[in-house]
CSV table of all heavy atoms in Angstrom, one decimal:
chain,number,residue,atom,x,y,z
A,1,GLY,N,87.7,114.7,89.8
A,1,GLY,CA,86.9,114.4,88.6
A,1,GLY,C,87.6,114.6,87.3
A,1,GLY,O,87.0,114.7,86.3
A,2,MET,N,88.9,114.7,87.3
A,2,MET,CA,89.7,114.9,86.1
A,2,MET,C,89.8,113.7,85.3
A,2,MET,O,90.1,113.7,84.1
A,2,MET,CB,91.1,115.5,86.4
A,2,MET,CG,91.0,116.9,86.9
A,2,MET,SD,92.6,117.4,87.7
A,2,MET,CE,93.8,117.1,86.4
A,3,VAL,N,89.6,112.5,85.9
A,3,VAL,CA,89.6,111.2,85.2
A,3,VAL,C,88.1,111.0,84.9
A,3,VAL,O,87.4,110.6,85.9
A,3,VAL,CB,90.3,110.1,86.0
A,3,VAL,CG1,90.2,108.8,85.2
A,3,VAL,CG2,91.7,110.4,86.2
A,4,GLY,N,87.7,111.2,83.7
A,4,GLY,CA,86.2,111.3,83.5
A,4,GLY,C,85.5,110.0,83.8
A,4,GLY,O,85.8,108.9,83.4
A,5,LYS,N,84.4,110.2,84.5
A,5,LYS,CA,83.5,109.0,84.8
A,5,LYS,C,82.8,108.5,83.6
A,5,LYS,O,82.6,107.3,83.4
A,5,LYS,CB,82.4,109.4,85.8
A,5,LYS,CG,83.0,109.8,87.1
A,5,LYS,CD,81.9,110.1,88.2
A,5,LYS,CE,82.6,110.5,89.5
A,5,LYS,NZ,81.7,110.7,90.6
A,6,ASN,N,82.6,109.4,82.6
A,6,ASN,CA,81.9,108.9,81.4
A,6,ASN,C,82.9,108.1,80.6
A,6,ASN,O,82.5,107.3,79.7
A,6,ASN,CB,81.4,110.1,80.6
A,6,ASN,CG,82.5,111.1,80.3
A,6,ASN,OD1,83.6,111.0,80.8
A,6,ASN,ND2,82.2,112.1,79.4
A,7,SER,N,84.2,108.1,80.9
A,7,SER,CA,85.1,107.3,80.2
A,7,SER,C,85.0,105.8,80.7
A,7,SER,O,85.6,104.9,80.0
A,7,SER,CB,86.6,107.8,80.4
A,7,SER,OG,87.0,107.6,81.7
A,8,VAL,N,84.4,105.6,81.8
A,8,VAL,CA,84.2,104.2,82.2
A,8,VAL,C,82.8,103.7,82.5
A,8,VAL,O,82.5,102.5,82.5
A,8,VAL,CB,85.0,103.9,83.6
A,8,VAL,CG1,86.5,104.1,83.4
A,8,VAL,CG2,84.5,104.9,84.7
A,9,MET,N,81.9,104.7,82.6
A,9,MET,CA,80.5,104.4,83.1
A,9,MET,C,79.9,103.2,82.4
A,9,MET,O,79.4,102.2,83.1
A,9,MET,CB,79.7,105.6,83.0
A,9,MET,CG,78.4,105.4,83.8
A,9,MET,SD,77.5,107.0,84.0
A,9,MET,CE,78.7,108.2,84.5
A,10,ASN,N,79.8,103.2,81.1
A,10,ASN,CA,79.1,102.1,80.3
A,10,ASN,C,80.1,101.1,79.8
A,10,ASN,O,79.7,100.4,78.9
A,10,ASN,CB,78.2,102.7,79.2
A,10,ASN,CG,77.2,103.7,79.8
A,10,ASN,OD1,76.6,103.4,80.8
A,10,ASN,ND2,77.2,104.9,79.2
A,11,ASN,N,81.3,101.1,80.2
A,11,ASN,CA,82.3,100.3,79.6
A,11,ASN,C,82.6,99.0,80.4
A,11,ASN,O,82.5,99.0,81.6
A,11,ASN,CB,83.6,101.1,79.5
A,11,ASN,CG,83.5,102.3,78.6
A,11,ASN,OD1,82.4,102.5,78.1
A,11,ASN,ND2,84.6,103.0,78.5
A,12,THR,N,82.8,98.0,79.6
A,12,THR,CA,83.2,96.7,80.2
A,12,THR,C,84.3,96.1,79.2
A,12,THR,O,84.5,96.7,78.2
A,12,THR,CB,82.1,95.7,80.3
A,12,THR,OG1,81.4,95.6,79.0
A,12,THR,CG2,81.1,96.0,81.4
A,13,ILE,N,84.9,95.0,79.7
A,13,ILE,CA,86.0,94.4,78.8
A,13,ILE,C,85.4,93.1,78.2
A,13,ILE,O,84.8,92.3,78.9
A,13,ILE,CB,87.2,94.1,79.7
A,13,ILE,CG1,87.9,95.3,80.2
A,13,ILE,CG2,88.2,93.3,78.9
A,13,ILE,CD1,88.5,96.3,79.2
A,14,GLY,N,85.5,93.0,76.9
A,14,GLY,CA,85.0,91.8,76.2
A,14,GLY,C,86.1,90.8,76.0
A,14,GLY,O,86.7,90.3,76.9
A,15,ASP,N,86.4,90.6,74.7
A,15,ASP,CA,87.4,89.6,74.3
A,15,ASP,C,88.8,90.0,74.8
A,15,ASP,O,89.2,91.1,74.7
A,15,ASP,CB,87.4,89.6,72.7
A,15,ASP,CG,88.2,88.4,72.2
A,15,ASP,OD1,88.2,87.3,72.8
A,15,ASP,OD2,89.0,88.6,71.2
A,16,ILE,N,89.5,89.0,75.4
A,16,ILE,CA,90.8,89.2,76.0
A,16,ILE,C,91.8,88.3,75.3
A,16,ILE,O,91.6,87.1,75.2
A,16,ILE,CB,90.8,89.0,77.5
A,16,ILE,CG1,89.8,90.0,78.2
A,16,ILE,CG2,92.2,89.1,78.1
A,16,ILE,CD1,89.6,89.7,79.6
A,17,LYS,N,92.9,88.8,74.9
A,17,LYS,CA,94.1,88.0,74.4
A,17,LYS,C,95.2,88.2,75.4
A,17,LYS,O,95.6,89.3,75.7
A,17,LYS,CB,94.5,88.5,73.0
A,17,LYS,CG,93.4,88.2,72.0
A,17,LYS,CD,93.9,88.7,70.6
A,17,LYS,CE,92.9,88.3,69.5
A,17,LYS,NZ,91.5,88.8,69.8
A,18,ILE,N,95.8,87.1,75.8
A,18,ILE,CA,96.9,87.1,76.8
A,18,ILE,C,98.1,86.6,76.2
A,18,ILE,O,98.1,85.6,75.5
A,18,ILE,CB,96.5,86.3,78.1
A,18,ILE,CG1,95.3,86.8,78.7
A,18,ILE,CG2,97.7,86.2,79.0
A,18,ILE,CD1,94.7,86.0,79.9
A,19,ASP,N,99.2,87.3,76.4
A,19,ASP,CA,100.5,86.8,75.9
A,19,ASP,C,101.5,87.0,77.1
A,19,ASP,O,102.0,88.1,77.3
A,19,ASP,CB,101.0,87.7,74.7
A,19,ASP,CG,102.3,87.2,74.1
A,19,ASP,OD1,102.8,86.2,74.5
A,19,ASP,OD2,102.8,87.9,73.2
A,20,ASN,N,101.8,85.9,77.8
A,20,ASN,CA,102.6,86.0,79.0
A,20,ASN,C,102.1,87.0,80.0
A,20,ASN,O,100.9,86.9,80.4
A,20,ASN,CB,104.1,86.3,78.6
A,20,ASN,CG,104.7,85.1,77.9
A,20,ASN,OD1,104.4,83.9,78.2
A,20,ASN,ND2,105.6,85.3,77.0
A,21,GLY,N,102.9,88.0,80.3
A,21,GLY,CA,102.4,88.9,81.3
A,21,GLY,C,101.7,90.2,80.8
A,21,GLY,O,101.6,91.2,81.4
A,22,PHE,N,101.3,90.1,79.5
A,22,PHE,CA,100.6,91.2,78.8
A,22,PHE,C,99.3,90.7,78.3
A,22,PHE,O,99.1,89.6,77.9
A,22,PHE,CB,101.5,91.7,77.7
A,22,PHE,CG,100.8,92.6,76.7
A,22,PHE,CD1,100.5,93.9,77.2
A,22,PHE,CD2,100.4,92.3,75.5
A,22,PHE,CE1,99.9,94.8,76.3
A,22,PHE,CE2,99.7,93.1,74.6
A,22,PHE,CZ,99.5,94.4,75.1
A,23,ALA,N,98.3,91.6,78.4
A,23,ALA,CA,97.0,91.2,77.8
A,23,ALA,C,96.3,92.4,77.2
A,23,ALA,O,96.6,93.6,77.6
A,23,ALA,CB,96.1,90.7,79.0
A,24,LYS,N,95.5,92.1,76.2
A,24,LYS,CA,94.7,93.2,75.5
A,24,LYS,C,93.3,92.8,75.7
A,24,LYS,O,92.9,91.7,75.4
A,24,LYS,CB,95.0,93.2,74.0
A,24,LYS,CG,96.2,94.0,73.7
A,24,LYS,CD,96.6,94.1,72.2
A,24,LYS,CE,95.6,93.7,71.1
A,24,LYS,NZ,96.2,94.0,69.8
A,25,GLY,N,92.5,93.7,76.2
A,25,GLY,CA,91.0,93.5,76.4
A,25,GLY,C,90.2,94.4,75.5
A,25,GLY,O,90.5,95.7,75.6
A,26,GLN,N,89.3,93.9,74.7
A,26,GLN,CA,88.5,94.7,73.9
A,26,GLN,C,87.5,95.5,74.7
A,26,GLN,O,86.8,95.0,75.6
A,26,GLN,CB,87.8,93.9,72.8
A,26,GLN,CG,87.1,94.8,71.8
A,26,GLN,CD,86.4,93.9,70.7
A,26,GLN,OE1,86.1,92.8,70.9
A,26,GLN,NE2,86.4,94.5,69.5
A,27,LEU,N,87.5,96.8,74.5
A,27,LEU,CA,86.5,97.7,75.2
A,27,LEU,C,85.1,97.6,74.6
A,27,LEU,O,85.0,97.7,73.4
A,27,LEU,CB,87.0,99.1,75.1
A,27,LEU,CG,86.5,100.1,76.2
A,27,LEU,CD1,86.9,99.7,77.6
A,27,LEU,CD2,86.9,101.5,75.9
A,28,LEU,N,84.2,97.3,75.5
A,28,LEU,CA,82.8,97.3,75.1
A,28,LEU,C,82.1,98.5,75.7
A,28,LEU,O,82.3,98.8,76.8
A,28,LEU,CB,82.1,96.0,75.6
A,28,LEU,CG,82.7,94.7,75.3
A,28,LEU,CD1,81.8,93.6,75.9
A,28,LEU,CD2,82.8,94.4,73.8
A,29,VAL,N,81.4,99.2,74.8
A,29,VAL,CA,80.6,100.4,75.3
A,29,VAL,C,79.1,100.0,75.2
A,29,VAL,O,78.7,99.7,74.1
A,29,VAL,CB,81.0,101.6,74.5
A,29,VAL,CG1,80.1,102.8,75.0
A,29,VAL,CG2,82.4,102.0,74.7
A,30,SER,N,78.5,100.0,76.4
A,30,SER,CA,77.1,99.6,76.5
A,30,SER,C,76.9,98.2,75.8
A,30,SER,O,75.9,98.0,75.1
A,30,SER,CB,76.2,100.6,75.8
A,30,SER,OG,76.3,101.9,76.4
A,31,GLY,N,77.9,97.3,76.0
A,31,GLY,CA,77.8,96.0,75.5
A,31,GLY,C,78.2,95.8,74.0
A,31,GLY,O,78.3,94.7,73.5
A,32,GLN,N,78.5,96.9,73.3
A,32,GLN,CA,78.9,96.9,71.9
A,32,GLN,C,80.4,96.9,71.8
A,32,GLN,O,81.1,97.8,72.4
A,32,GLN,CB,78.3,98.1,71.1
A,32,GLN,CG,76.8,98.0,71.1
A,32,GLN,CD,76.2,96.8,70.5
A,32,GLN,OE1,76.6,96.3,69.4
A,32,GLN,NE2,75.3,96.1,71.2
A,33,PRO,N,81.0,96.0,71.0
A,33,PRO,CA,82.5,96.0,70.8
A,33,PRO,C,82.9,97.3,70.1
A,33,PRO,O,82.2,97.8,69.2
A,33,PRO,CB,82.7,94.8,70.0
A,33,PRO,CG,81.4,94.2,69.7
A,33,PRO,CD,80.3,94.9,70.3
A,34,THR,N,84.1,97.8,70.5
A,34,THR,CA,84.7,99.0,69.9
A,34,THR,C,86.0,98.5,69.3
A,34,THR,O,86.4,97.4,69.5
A,34,THR,CB,85.0,100.1,70.9
A,34,THR,OG1,86.0,99.6,71.8
A,34,THR,CG2,83.7,100.5,71.7
A,35,GLU,N,86.7,99.4,68.6
A,35,GLU,CA,88.0,99.1,68.0
A,35,GLU,C,89.1,99.3,69.1
A,35,GLU,O,90.3,99.2,68.8
A,35,GLU,CB,88.3,99.9,66.8
A,35,GLU,CG,87.4,99.4,65.6
A,35,GLU,CD,87.6,100.2,64.3
A,35,GLU,OE1,88.4,101.1,64.3
A,35,GLU,OE2,86.8,100.0,63.4
A,36,ILE,N,88.7,99.7,70.3
A,36,ILE,CA,89.7,100.1,71.3
A,36,ILE,C,90.0,98.9,72.2
A,36,ILE,O,89.2,98.1,72.6
A,36,ILE,CB,89.1,101.2,72.2
A,36,ILE,CG1,88.8,102.5,71.3
A,36,ILE,CG2,90.1,101.6,73.3
A,36,ILE,CD1,88.0,103.5,72.0
A,37,TYR,N,91.3,98.7,72.4
A,37,TYR,CA,91.8,97.6,73.3
A,37,TYR,C,92.5,98.3,74.5
A,37,TYR,O,93.4,99.1,74.3
A,37,TYR,CB,92.7,96.7,72.6
A,37,TYR,CG,92.0,95.7,71.7
A,37,TYR,CD1,91.6,96.1,70.4
A,37,TYR,CD2,91.7,94.4,72.1
A,37,TYR,CE1,90.9,95.2,69.6
A,37,TYR,CE2,90.9,93.5,71.3
A,37,TYR,CZ,90.6,93.9,70.1
A,37,TYR,OH,89.9,93.0,69.3
A,38,MET,N,92.1,97.9,75.7
A,38,MET,CA,92.8,98.3,76.9
A,38,MET,C,94.0,97.4,77.1
A,38,MET,O,93.8,96.2,76.9
A,38,MET,CB,91.9,98.2,78.1
A,38,MET,CG,90.7,99.1,78.1
A,38,MET,SD,90.9,100.8,78.5
A,38,MET,CE,91.5,100.8,80.1
A,39,HIS,N,95.1,97.9,77.5
A,39,HIS,CA,96.3,97.0,77.8
A,39,HIS,C,96.4,96.7,79.3
A,39,HIS,O,96.1,97.6,80.1
A,39,HIS,CB,97.6,97.7,77.3
A,39,HIS,CG,97.7,97.8,75.9
A,39,HIS,ND1,98.7,98.3,75.2
A,39,HIS,CD2,96.8,97.4,74.9
A,39,HIS,CE1,98.6,98.3,73.9
A,39,HIS,NE2,97.4,97.8,73.7
A,40,PHE,N,96.8,95.5,79.6
A,40,PHE,CA,96.9,95.1,81.0
A,40,PHE,C,98.3,94.4,81.1
A,40,PHE,O,98.7,93.7,80.2
A,40,PHE,CB,95.9,94.1,81.4
A,40,PHE,CG,94.5,94.6,81.4
A,40,PHE,CD1,93.7,94.7,80.2
A,40,PHE,CD2,93.8,95.1,82.5
A,40,PHE,CE1,92.5,95.2,80.1
A,40,PHE,CE2,92.5,95.6,82.5
A,40,PHE,CZ,91.9,95.6,81.3
């Protein structure tokens, strides 16, 4: 449980920008956009 469940529980990925083999997905918390982008 060191990787917090609350860090993912209400989160989804919204807007995604792809550049070749790299992508940035905007983190939504409870459906609301945040300023955080996850990298893929």
Side-chain angles (χ1 to χ4, degrees):
M2 288 164 57
V3 177
K5 295 184 180 187
N6 54 351
S7 69
V8 294
M9 197 168 308
N10 302 313
N11 298 358
T12 48
I13 296 293
D15 188 40
I16 297 170
K17 290 178 176 57
I18 299 174
D19 183 7
N20 290 324
F22 169 72
K24 273 178 20 172
Q26 188 173 29
L27 197 64
L28 307 182
V29 177
S30 305
Q32 295 303 310
T34 66
E35 289 177 5
I36 300 169
Y37 283 83
M38 300 279 299
H39 292 182
F40 297 83

